[in-house]
Amino acid sequence: MKPVFLVDDSATMLASMASLLGQAGQTVEKAASAEEALAKLKATPPLRAIITDYHMPGMTGAALVREVRKLAPYRFLPILLLTTESDQAKRDEARAAGATGWLVKPVEGEKLLAVLRQVAPA
Amino acid sequence: MPFDAPVGGAAPAARKRRLLLCCALAGVALSLGATWAVRALLGQGIVADLAGAAGFALALAPLARRDAGRPAVPTPLPAPALAMPDAPTEPWTEDAQDVAADVAAELDRYREVAEILRRQVQGAVAETEAAALELVGRMDAVDGGMRALRQVLVTAQQDAGALTAAGSGEVGAMRGAVATLRTRLLARTAQIRDDHEIYRRISSEAEDFAAAVSEIGRIASQTKLLALNATIEAARAGEAGKGFAVVAGEVRTLAGEAARVAEGVAQGLGRLREVTRLRLSDALDTEAEDRLLTDAAHQAEAAEHAFGRLADNASGALVALEASGEAVAGHVAQALAGAQFQDIVRQRLQQVSRDMERLGLHAAWLAEALRELRAVEPVQSAILDPMQDAYVMDRQRVAHGDAAPRGAPAIELF
């Protein structure tokens, strides 16, 4: 199964999401910022999806989506925003950037897995 | 009434009261704001610490003592963000100037207080993060333990299944062997019964024959006696009886011979009867052999049932563990997803931390404005509006005073 790329500046989020997905048999790659994610994407094997935070030091999650969409291998890769942000304007910005979905924390584990299965069948 | 309104016409005492009132209100706002924000976020022990620190700030606000030598603000303040017009300057009384200087010095310390509160909040963030990571680690351990336990039971079930299959094969072979032995035993038993009848008849004939032989012996004995009497009578007859005496002697010899033969036949019949008796005894032992074979067959069946129960128990344990494991996995998943709350709390606390820093800066700016009789930036634009603009969560906006959350769906696929 292709790995899911987790991008979040919260160590807790990276660890808990990695464990949650790992419990479901899903492998993960991790980055603590959008910049680190972009650097790692070049050396990362084909991905199942990207799950990224919106608010991070430096580049936002929406900006990351824009940059990822410029990379040919990831033009149609499912990218989910998992964020505390509830502002509609930022949600619209992510949609315009090419994000696949928007999830407001906290999201129940089973719902997160269900969304992942829906947008990126294994 | 804005604090930058002309004050020259006021009496010194009234002006002093207004200064004190403004500073006290600023202190109250700073202290209550910090306390409320932290209390709204956490129901933990750090609230008491933060509230205590905020109370300390509250106590500082109304102070208007004339003590000299206050500690200076440790770091230089940045320039005010807004360029406000200078307020009209008019000569203050000496008392009013002293009070203003004291109040300004106390306000300077609010930045120090805010920095302490900010560090407290950052400490709380670090502690919650460490606790959440510890929780995630423990949940991983629980999940790993359940997986290992399940693997052990799967292996046990497979072993039991293989053992049962092998045992069933061996038991089947054993039962086949027992059946073959029983068939042979039955055939042998039938043969022995036939032999038994033959032996019984032989024995019966031997008995009859022995009686006849005994009669022959008795006749031989009487013949021998008669021959003896004939020999005596022949001797009494003299010369005329010599020939008869020879015949009588021969008869006696033959009678003795017949008696020895009868004795030999009787002995042979005795041995035959003994052999027949032993053969009949052997036939009785086949029933014991049949019982042994039946026991062996029953033991083989019991072993087969035991293997079956072993496999059933392992299978049942695995099914029970599967059910428990699914429940535990669900709880673990929920606990892992619950770690998102730490991120939510972290972000809210970090914003409170930034707002405290903003409060401290604003207090320092108020002090500067007081010393220089400059106009101040209102709390609304200096603090409240930036706070509101920085909110990312509906709960933050509601806590601030928004009437209702924005209401967008928590999960939306584009």
Side-chain angles (χ1 to χ4, degrees):
Chain A
M1 188 184 296
K2 297 174 185 174
V4 168
F5 204 142
L6 301 173
V7 188
D8 203 307
D9 62 317
S10 163
T12 304
M13 284 300 298
L14 287 179
S16 61
M17 289 300 106
S19 295
L20 180 64
L21 294 174
Q23 195 187 22
Q26 175 66 56
T27 58
V28 299
E29 298 285 339
K30 293 185 278 188
S33 69
E35 290 82 357
E36 182 186 344
L38 284 172
K40 279 189 171 178
L41 275 178
K42 295 168 185 169
T44 299
L47 297 171
R48 181 182 177 191
I50 294 175
I51 300 176
T52 179
D53 191 12
Y54 181 91
H55 291 290
M56 293 179 284
M59 191 184 294
T60 66
L64 173 64
V65 173
R66 266 192 299 276
E67 293 302 316
V68 170
R69 290 299 182 217
K70 293 176 185 173
L71 305 173
Y74 304 113
R75 190 169 298 164
F76 303 107
L77 182 71
I79 305 178
L80 298 171
L81 273 293
L82 178 59
T83 174
T84 54
E85 179 61 67
S86 58
D87 184 58
Q88 186 61 45
K90 292 186 172 61
R91 191 180 292 218
D92 293 341
E93 176 198 5
R95 184 206 312 261
T100 309
W102 183 276
L103 295 85
V104 179
K105 299 174 189 172
V107 179
E108 290 179 20
E110 190 48 49
K111 286 184 179 174
L112 178 65
L113 294 173
V115 169
L116 185 62
R117 283 193 292 268
Q118 183 176 346
V119 302
Chain B
M1 174 181 176
F3 189 61
D4 56 349
V7 294
R15 179 179 177 144
K16 180 179 174 181
R17 282 197 299 274
R18 287 167 55 195
L19 281 170
L20 290 173
L21 178 62
C22 290
C23 294
L25 286 174
V28 168
L30 175 63
S31 305
L32 289 180
T35 306
W36 166 83
V38 175
R39 187 168 283 157
L41 289 172
L42 296 173
Q44 302 176 4
I46 58 171
V47 170
D49 298 339
L50 296 175
F56 172 70
L58 179 61
L60 284 179
L63 287 180
R65 291 175 298 166
R66 296 166 181 268
D67 299 343
R70 306 274 187 217
V73 174
T75 54
L77 292 170
L82 296 178
M84 302 296 287
D86 289 345
T89 57
E90 291 187 22
W92 280 21
T93 65
E94 190 174 337
D95 281 351
Q97 288 177 11
D98 289 345
V99 169
D102 287 350
V103 171
E106 294 299 332
L107 280 174
D108 279 339
R109 296 209 63 194
Y110 273 79
R111 193 176 184 192
E112 179 187 345
V113 173
E115 174 58 20
I116 292 171
L117 293 174
R118 194 189 64 77
R119 288 200 298 270
Q120 298 281 10
V121 169
Q122 289 299 326
V125 169
E127 287 178 12
T128 59
E129 184 167 86
L133 287 173
E134 172 75 13
L135 176 68
V136 170
R138 290 186 182 278
M139 289 298 105
D140 279 346
V142 169
D143 189 48
M146 286 301 295
R147 286 173 191 273
L149 185 58
R150 184 185 180 284
Q151 187 55 49
V152 166
L153 271 182
V154 166
T155 303
Q157 188 196 28
Q158 289 171 345
D159 290 348
L163 195 60
T164 302
S168 294
E170 291 176 2
V171 168
M174 188 185 298
R175 292 167 75 181
V178 167
T180 302
L181 284 175
R182 175 172 280 122
T183 301
R184 290 182 182 177
L185 181 65
L186 289 174
R188 186 181 161 206
T189 302
Q191 182 65 45
I192 286 174
R193 282 186 183 135
D194 292 343
D195 292 347
H196 181 272
E197 180 60 22
I198 291 171
Y199 291 140
R200 191 188 62 75
R201 287 169 60 189
I202 289 173
S203 179
S204 177
E205 292 293 332
E207 290 284 344
D208 293 344
F209 196 57
V213 169
S214 177
E215 185 64 20
I216 289 170
R218 188 183 64 77
I219 291 171
S221 178
Q222 286 181 349
T223 302
K224 193 175 177 180
L225 186 60
L226 283 174
L228 180 62
N229 288 334
T231 300
I232 294 169
E233 291 298 327
R236 194 178 289 169
E239 192 64 28
K242 284 186 179 177
F244 188 72
V246 171
V247 172
E250 287 298 320
V251 169
R252 191 175 62 182
T253 301
L254 286 173
E257 191 69 23
R260 282 195 298 277
V261 170
E263 178 64 23
V265 170
Q267 288 176 358
L269 285 174
R271 288 195 295 275
L272 177 64
R273 288 164 65 190
E274 179 61 20
V275 169
T276 304
R277 188 187 65 78
L278 288 175
R279 287 294 181 182
L280 289 174
S281 176
D282 283 349
L284 293 176
D285 287 345
T286 59
E287 293 178 3
E289 290 179 22
D290 188 54
R291 280 197 300 273
L292 286 176
L293 286 175
T294 301
D295 289 346
H298 288 162
Q299 285 174 6
E301 287 177 4
E304 188 176 22
H305 290 155
F307 283 133
R309 281 199 303 275
L310 180 65
D312 289 345
N313 287 342
S315 180
L318 187 63
V319 168
L321 182 75
E322 289 281 5
S324 301
E326 283 182 13
V328 171
H331 292 313
V332 168
Q334 284 302 98
L336 289 171
Q340 294 173 80
F341 285 104
Q342 191 278 330
D343 187 46
I344 294 169
V345 170
R346 175 183 69 92
Q347 292 188 41
R348 294 187 74 172
L349 285 177
Q350 284 180 337
Q351 182 157 354
V352 168
S353 180
R354 286 192 295 272
D355 293 339
M356 286 176 180
E357 191 174 6
R358 192 176 286 120
L359 274 172
L361 287 172
H362 189 254
W365 194 32
L366 284 176
E368 198 66 22
L370 189 57
R371 287 192 191 93
E372 299 179 2
L373 285 183
R374 293 167 59 89
V376 298
E377 182 185 6
V379 168
Q380 185 68 41
S381 59
I383 301 175
L384 292 176
D385 289 344
M387 281 172 65
Q388 205 158 13
D389 291 343
Y391 291 143
V392 300
M393 305 172 212
D394 279 346
R395 275 175 282 188
Q396 288 176 303
R397 298 185 182 100
V398 170
H400 188 99
D402 273 10
R406 307 274 167 101
I411 297 177
E412 183 179 4
L413 298 181
F414 302 140

